[in-house]
Amino acid sequence: MDDKKTTSRERVMLALNHKEPDRIPIDLGATIVTSIANRTYLELEKYLGLPLEEIKVLDYVQQLPYVSEALMQRFDVDFRMVQLPAATTSGVEIFEEGDYYAFFDRWGSKLHMPKKAGFYFDWVDFPIKEPAMAALDTYRWPLPDPMEVNMQLGTLAKQLYENSDYALVGSAVIGGGIFEQPARIMGMQNFLMALLSEPAFADRLMETITDIYIESCNRYLDHVGPYIQVFTYWDDVAGQNGWLIRPELYRKMIKPKQKRLVEAIKKKTDAKLFYHSCGATRDLIPDLIEIGFDILNPVQVSAKGMDTKTLKTEFGRDIVFWGGGVDTQHVLPFGSPQEVADEVKRRIDDLAPGGGFVFAAVHNIQALVPPENIVAAFDTAREYGTYGR
Amino acid sequence: MTTLDDLCQSVIEGDRGLAQDLVKKAIEENIPAERILKEGLIRAMAEVGVKFENGEYFVPEMLIAARAMQNGLSLLRPYLVSAKVQAIGKVLIGTVQGDLHDIGKNLVAMMLEGAGFEVIDLGVDVSPEKYVQAAREHHPDLIACSALLTTTMPRMKDIIDALKENGLRDQVKVMIGGAPVTESFARQIGADACAADAVSASTRALELVLELKKG
């Protein structure tokens, strides 16, 4: 890179275009799937001696904060987020219900978090009880955020674009993915059964969700689109050992809707498209490439068939791996700092060659992860992640 | 095809209406309730398990098959009771404290029921005390604990410790499962087995209950 210092945005764009920058770009907190749980975040800030500020909640469901500028600078994070909380609106009201904290999301579903030993909110009561067309006729669909909100986000994005060197990341998907969200409106079991038993109902439900997302993305991208480099979408279609549903069913009923959303987004922005699905997603990758996604996250290295070396060889030319930097199911929470550092080096060796890799842990860093391990992960990524070592 | 073959097929295909009709038909044909259960419903769920392991069935197919099985079983249950047909074992199942995820637990419960167990489902966010209390009340052969999260996995050890403290550990087998759970974790906390999915959970449960009954 001659004598001119590479900026974060340049570094990210090189990596996302499958070229080697000066070092691997680093992410913590640019998306709602590469962040850190509130309580771990506070412990980490304390451990690092960073100024303690009041937490601004990004995601009530997963209990995520907007990560502070001080922490992002400490880890040399190359990204900044331009995004509102997805599942909820900012005015969400938490109330108590027996042994649980509770709230309603913007889709009218109720969530609970156990007061004792709880870590997340999870969906427990649903506005749609039966897979019947009549239920869709009377359902109160959520509205995308109003124009003023998107204009404010646009102003923030423009300001960050012009006055900082960071790569900007955003989204306007106001719920789960097209496959995930129905489960949050009618319950996962009922939705998975409806996919087979009531396909016309399931199809209409998902098409309407797609319409809402396209409208929401249009409104957002009209203001933010020119300034962001990455647009994030999430839709978990895999579990620990493979597809949650028959891949043919995904290709018939879900993929065309995801494609419709991708095409709408691409009309409004040149940002690279980021797809998050937990689990064993190896066999999904060709589908994602085909419909126009550029980036796969979180690369759940502990799931079946997710060997990072093999993935890089097979798909590294066509898709960027964003995540997979350190296993979050075993090593990060339960390993020693040295084991964490070794794991990070191994993943960098596998995924970094030729660019196309952004360092992040596999998914959000969970509660009970020791701060020492987090620091070991990010410091190793920063030191060992230099190209042309 | 006999009525029981048809019943078996209807469950495999997840046709709950047909499954109920065929259970009724089998009862009318005076087929013993135990045979309807074993050669109709249990045989079907075993086949569903094989299809899942072969990658032919996924979660939705399993769910609708299990729903059909349960619909048939609900009609058959009074006949099983009056014929004094014993379940092959009794299982207490739940998702551990702090964890509200239930689809994995529900699938395991359905497969266990489909394998002939009596299943008592304690739901989600189940404290160690609740497990102990339920174990006292129901005298299960097996306690099955589910956790999706690395953060809630440690509660599994609390359950085993609570069973020990209350002198119940020797009377039951304990099986754990969920995405982050491994064999080595199971050994470390003193569980008897770990299962990676609903089908292997049902296989392991059968083995554990046999071990327990042998003493």
Side-chain angles (χ1 to χ4, degrees):
Chain A
M1 281 290 126
D2 302 333
D3 45 356
K4 185 179 157 284
K5 201 168 167 283
T6 310
T7 69
S8 283
R9 198 174 298 148
E10 289 165 349
R11 176 177 301 125
V12 168
M13 289 321 292
L14 282 168
L16 300 185
N17 286 308
H18 299 271
K19 295 194 177 75
E20 291 189 354
D22 57 339
R23 66 168 173 82
I24 297 163
I26 292 175
D27 173 25
L28 176 67
T31 79
I32 60 164
V33 285
T34 54
S35 190
I36 175 166
N38 277 340
R39 62 178 85 179
T40 317
Y41 170 72
L42 287 175
E43 285 163 16
L44 178 63
E45 293 226 305
K46 198 173 155 205
Y47 176 80
L48 289 169
L50 297 174
L52 292 180
E53 292 163 19
E54 202 188 334
I55 282 193
K56 202 176 143 204
V57 182
L58 163 65
D59 188 323
Y60 283 91
V61 177
Q62 304 182 93
Q63 293 287 295
L64 305 175
Y66 280 98
V67 173
S68 74
E69 191 59 34
L71 182 58
M72 287 194 281
Q73 286 186 12
R74 167 63 181 79
F75 287 156
D76 283 326
V77 170
D78 292 291
F79 302 88
R80 293 296 181 269
M81 175 189 259
V82 188
Q83 187 186 324
L84 289 173
T88 62
T89 43
S90 48
V92 63
E93 243 178 79
I94 311 270
F95 56 97
E96 296 188 23
E97 203 167 60
D99 294 334
Y100 299 92
Y101 296 109
F103 76 88
F104 285 93
D105 71 11
R106 68 200 295 170
W107 299 78
S109 301
K110 188 162 74 182
L111 294 90
H112 270 174
M113 177 166 73
K115 285 182 188 169
K116 193 178 170 194
F119 294 94
Y120 300 103
F121 278 96
D122 273 290
W123 285 265
V124 294
D125 196 22
F126 305 96
I128 294 181
K129 310 279 184 201
E130 288 293 325
M133 288 294 187
L136 299 183
D137 293 337
T138 53
Y139 175 56
R140 249 183 87 195
W141 300 93
L143 296 171
D145 291 316
M147 222 37 115
E148 310 86 78
V149 170
N150 286 302
M151 280 170 71
Q152 283 169 19
L153 281 171
T155 308
L156 171 67
K158 183 168 189 283
Q159 189 193 325
L160 282 167
Y161 185 79
E162 288 170 355
N163 302 323
S164 85
D165 293 329
Y166 298 116
L168 304 182
V169 184
S171 186
V173 175
I174 56 168
I178 294 163
F179 171 70
E180 292 172 331
Q181 186 55 38
R184 300 179 186 178
I185 302 176
M186 61 183 295
M188 189 166 182
Q189 253 168 261
N190 283 344
F191 174 62
L192 290 180
M193 291 193 286
L195 274 174
L196 297 186
S197 303
E198 310 290 339
F201 164 88
D203 200 63
R204 181 174 151 201
L205 176 55
M206 290 191 289
E207 289 290 9
T208 311
I209 290 168
T210 309
D211 292 340
I212 290 171
Y213 288 170
I214 288 175
E215 173 63 18
S216 175
C217 292
N218 279 342
R219 289 188 189 191
Y220 171 85
L221 291 170
D222 277 340
H223 298 281
V224 179
Y227 307 113
I228 54 171
Q229 285 71 57
V230 181
F231 186 93
T232 53
Y233 174 74
W234 38 82
D235 213 353
D236 284 339
V237 297
Q240 192 81 18
N241 299 315
W243 291 91
L244 290 174
I245 59 170
R246 185 187 293 278
E248 294 79 14
L249 186 63
Y250 163 78
R251 289 178 189 126
K252 182 167 167 238
M253 289 187 72
I254 292 137
K255 186 179 168 186
K257 298 172 185 61
Q258 293 178 338
K259 185 167 181 242
R260 191 156 74 81
L261 178 63
V262 165
E263 281 165 1
I265 294 167
K266 281 188 186 278
K267 279 191 195 137
K268 299 274 183 182
T269 184
D270 295 328
K272 298 283 186 186
L273 296 189
F274 169 111
Y275 187 104
H276 165 94
S277 171
C278 293
T281 51
R282 184 200 167 276
D283 295 343
L284 171 70
I285 296 174
D287 297 293
L288 297 182
I289 294 168
E290 191 193 314
I291 58 179
F293 281 100
D294 304 290
I295 301 162
L296 178 73
N297 168 269
V299 198
Q300 191 185 324
V301 298
S302 53
K304 195 172 166 188
M306 296 296 283
D307 175 64
T308 38
K309 195 166 198 153
T310 316
L311 287 175
K312 183 74 176 180
T313 311
E314 281 188 281
F315 303 110
R317 272 184 301 275
D318 301 312
I319 201 132
V320 172
F321 297 104
W322 184 319
V326 55
D327 162 59
T328 1
Q329 274 183 315
H330 311 288
V331 184
L332 193 61
F334 306 122
S336 66
Q338 185 57 48
E339 285 166 332
V340 170
D342 292 345
E343 157 86 0
V344 168
K345 287 180 185 173
R346 173 190 162 194
R347 301 303 173 185
I348 286 175
D349 288 342
D350 286 352
L351 294 170
F357 176 49
V358 173
F359 179 85
V362 174
H363 219 305
N364 299 315
I365 297 169
Q366 305 292 307
L368 312 180
V369 174
E372 296 84 343
N373 285 8
I374 303 170
V375 173
F378 282 87
D379 284 353
T380 306
R382 183 67 183 78
E383 285 157 26
Y384 193 76
T386 313
Y387 283 98
R389 257 182 284 115
Chain B
M1 293 274 274
T2 66
T3 304
L4 292 185
D5 290 335
D6 292 342
L7 172 60
C8 180
Q9 195 56 32
S10 70
V11 170
I12 292 170
E13 286 168 14
D15 189 336
R16 56 180 159 164
L18 187 59
Q20 287 207 316
D21 290 346
L22 288 165
V23 167
K24 282 181 209 155
K25 189 170 170 226
I27 293 166
E28 281 160 15
E29 288 171 9
N30 289 319
I31 301 173
E34 188 166 12
R35 271 193 67 204
I36 302 174
L37 176 71
K38 287 188 174 158
E39 293 171 35
L41 303 178
I42 293 179
R43 178 159 62 112
M45 291 311 287
E47 184 60 32
V48 167
V50 170
K51 284 177 182 287
F52 179 78
E53 287 190 317
N54 291 343
E56 207 181 319
Y57 268 21
F58 292 81
V59 175
E61 288 85 1
M62 281 177 88
L63 285 171
I64 60 165
R67 180 174 66 180
M69 178 273 295
Q70 285 174 327
N71 275 258
L73 188 59
S74 67
L75 290 181
L76 189 61
R77 196 159 274 137
Y79 298 89
L80 291 168
V81 171
S82 58
K84 296 197 169 58
V85 175
Q86 294 285 320
I88 55 173
K90 196 190 272 187
V91 185
L92 271 187
I93 191 167
T95 303
V96 303
Q97 189 165 40
D99 204 326
L100 300 180
H101 295 95
D102 66 358
I103 192 162
K105 183 263 297 170
N106 292 350
L107 273 170
V108 172
M110 289 170 194
M111 289 308 289
L112 290 173
E113 203 172 23
F117 284 96
E118 179 186 350
V119 178
I120 295 150
D121 189 343
L122 302 175
V124 297
D125 189 25
V126 183
S127 66
E129 300 78 55
K130 270 194 220 160
Y131 275 102
V132 167
Q133 196 188 337
R136 285 224 173 90
E137 188 184 333
H138 298 286
H139 306 287
D141 303 297
L142 176 67
I143 292 180
C145 315
S146 166
L148 181 70
L149 308 169
T150 53
T151 47
T152 51
M153 266 163 70
R155 300 287 82 73
M156 293 175 161
K157 182 171 185 303
D158 298 348
I159 294 162
I160 292 172
D161 291 347
L163 290 171
K164 280 184 194 155
E165 281 160 29
N166 288 277
L168 295 163
R169 182 64 187 92
D170 298 339
Q171 300 161 32
V172 290
K173 295 285 182 181
V174 177
M175 178 167 72
I176 60 173
V181 172
T182 58
E183 285 289 348
S184 73
F185 178 73
R187 276 195 300 276
Q188 190 190 320
I189 66 167
D192 296 298
C194 148
D197 57 49
V199 177
S200 57
S202 130
T203 316
R204 291 296 282 134
L206 283 168
E207 292 164 3
L208 290 172
V209 168
L210 282 179
E211 267 174 43
L212 186 75
K213 293 197 166 160
K214 266 192 228 153

